[in-house]
Amino acid sequence: MVKTNEGFELITDYATFRKQYDYGDPNYSIYYKFFKRPISYPLTWLVYRYTNLRPNTLSYIGFLFAIIAALFFWQGSVTFFLLGAISFFIYDIFDDFDGIIARSKNIRSRRGGWLDILFGSVGKLIVFVSVSIGMFGATGDEIMLLFGLIGAVGMSAVSQIDFVTKIRFSVIVQKKLKFIETKPDPKTLAGKLSILSEIMLNVWFILLVLGGLFNYLGAFLFYSAVYYAIYPIALFFYLNKKYKNV
């Protein structure tokens, strides 16, 4: 490690950096472990090692890609669906940048925590709504709008329910919990439901990206409508039990 003028020790090799800031995603976190993290970790290392970009700047850039993705999906054509999927994936990669850079360079802030939560929730919501509108434009099928409405309401509900927990750890504690710190017990019903929820969320990301790449977003919207009709209710009861004494 090398001491910098900013007062933190700069990690000079990727292996050490990866080990220290690895979230420890389990195998059932398919999208995170096998799609997103293998790309985001090396890129985060490059940002950490060779740039002076601030976490909030990275948050703003990432959210810009969410807006770009939404504009692409809105167009309702195969080419723009492809570009939308790529832009969304870039936006999601940036979601890893800001938090790790903030912690690794010890420049965490309450504002950064708020931005991370806000851009994460709003970014996915506007992209999802744009997919619904784009698919309606491409197919003329009003059920695409219905799927979008159900999904958007469900996503908003999830954001509200999960809000307190995220604020507690991202803004107050200023910490990104690793998997090992919140590892669900597969022997309990709550643990099994937590694992199932994680798998279903990962499937949502996979369907969005692959659906855009291969022009199969109808399946993504249907899945989202079913998922977000059920998930907010299950999440409410799960979090109410898990954090009732917190």
Side-chain angles (χ1 to χ4, degrees):
M1 294 186 180
V2 177
K3 196 75 172 182
T4 68
N5 294 331
E6 289 77 16
F8 70 93
E9 292 186 339
L10 182 69
I11 300 174
T12 55
D13 68 284
Y14 173 69
T16 302
F17 177 83
R18 173 66 186 268
K19 181 178 180 180
Q20 183 166 342
Y21 295 103
D22 193 323
Y23 289 136
D25 298 302
N27 289 332
Y28 56 77
S29 293
I30 306 167
Y31 170 76
Y32 293 110
K33 188 176 182 69
F34 300 108
F35 287 84
K36 179 182 177 181
R37 307 293 193 207
I39 297 175
S40 72
Y41 278 129
L43 292 178
T44 306
W45 158 253
L46 293 176
V47 173
Y48 166 85
R49 186 70 175 84
Y50 300 107
T51 78
N52 292 315
L53 289 171
R54 306 282 295 183
N56 290 355
T57 302
L58 294 166
S59 296
Y60 285 120
I61 296 174
F63 187 66
L64 177 61
F65 275 100
I67 295 174
I68 293 172
L71 292 174
F72 281 145
F73 282 125
W74 189 291
Q75 304 307 310
S77 70
V78 175
T79 301
F80 283 112
F81 286 158
L82 172 64
L83 294 173
I86 294 172
S87 299
F88 176 82
F89 188 68
I90 295 174
Y91 151 73
D92 203 34
I93 290 294
F94 267 85
D95 186 52
D96 276 3
F97 289 173
D98 50 9
I100 293 180
I101 296 301
R103 291 188 296 278
S104 62
K105 293 189 175 183
N106 195 28
I107 46 178
R108 295 169 291 186
S109 67
R110 291 181 181 274
R111 182 183 181 188
W114 281 102
L115 286 177
D116 184 52
I117 294 168
L118 179 64
F119 289 165
S121 299
V122 175
K124 286 188 273 291
L125 180 59
I126 63 173
V127 167
F128 177 76
V129 171
S130 295
V131 171
S132 174
I133 294 173
M135 281 298 294
F136 171 68
T139 65
D141 191 345
E142 294 180 353
I143 198 171
M144 298 299 170
L145 295 178
L146 177 61
F147 288 159
L149 177 61
I150 295 172
V153 172
M155 289 179 73
S156 299
V158 168
S159 296
Q160 292 297 317
I161 295 170
D162 205 25
F163 187 72
V164 174
T165 302
K166 287 183 176 180
I167 289 297
R168 173 176 172 78
F169 290 108
S170 296
V171 178
I172 299 176
V173 181
Q174 295 187 350
K175 178 180 183 181
K176 181 73 171 183
L177 291 179
K178 295 184 177 182
F179 169 72
I180 194 65
E181 297 172 280
T182 57
K183 184 177 181 180
D185 184 358
K187 296 180 181 179
T188 66
L189 177 59
K192 292 176 181 177
L193 290 175
S194 179
I195 292 172
L196 177 61
S197 170
E198 179 72 8
I199 293 173
M200 293 179 68
L201 178 61
N202 276 255
V203 170
W204 187 88
F205 280 100
I206 292 171
L207 287 177
L208 174 53
V209 175
L210 295 185
L213 293 176
F214 299 104
N215 191 28
Y216 207 68
L217 287 168
F220 162 72
L221 288 174
F222 173 75
Y223 178 85
S224 298
V226 174
Y227 175 63
Y228 280 109
I230 300 173
Y231 182 53
I233 300 173
L235 182 64
F236 172 80
F237 287 107
Y238 174 73
L239 292 179
N240 184 61
K241 181 177 180 181
K242 183 175 183 180
Y243 295 112
K244 64 181 179 180
N245 296 321
V246 178

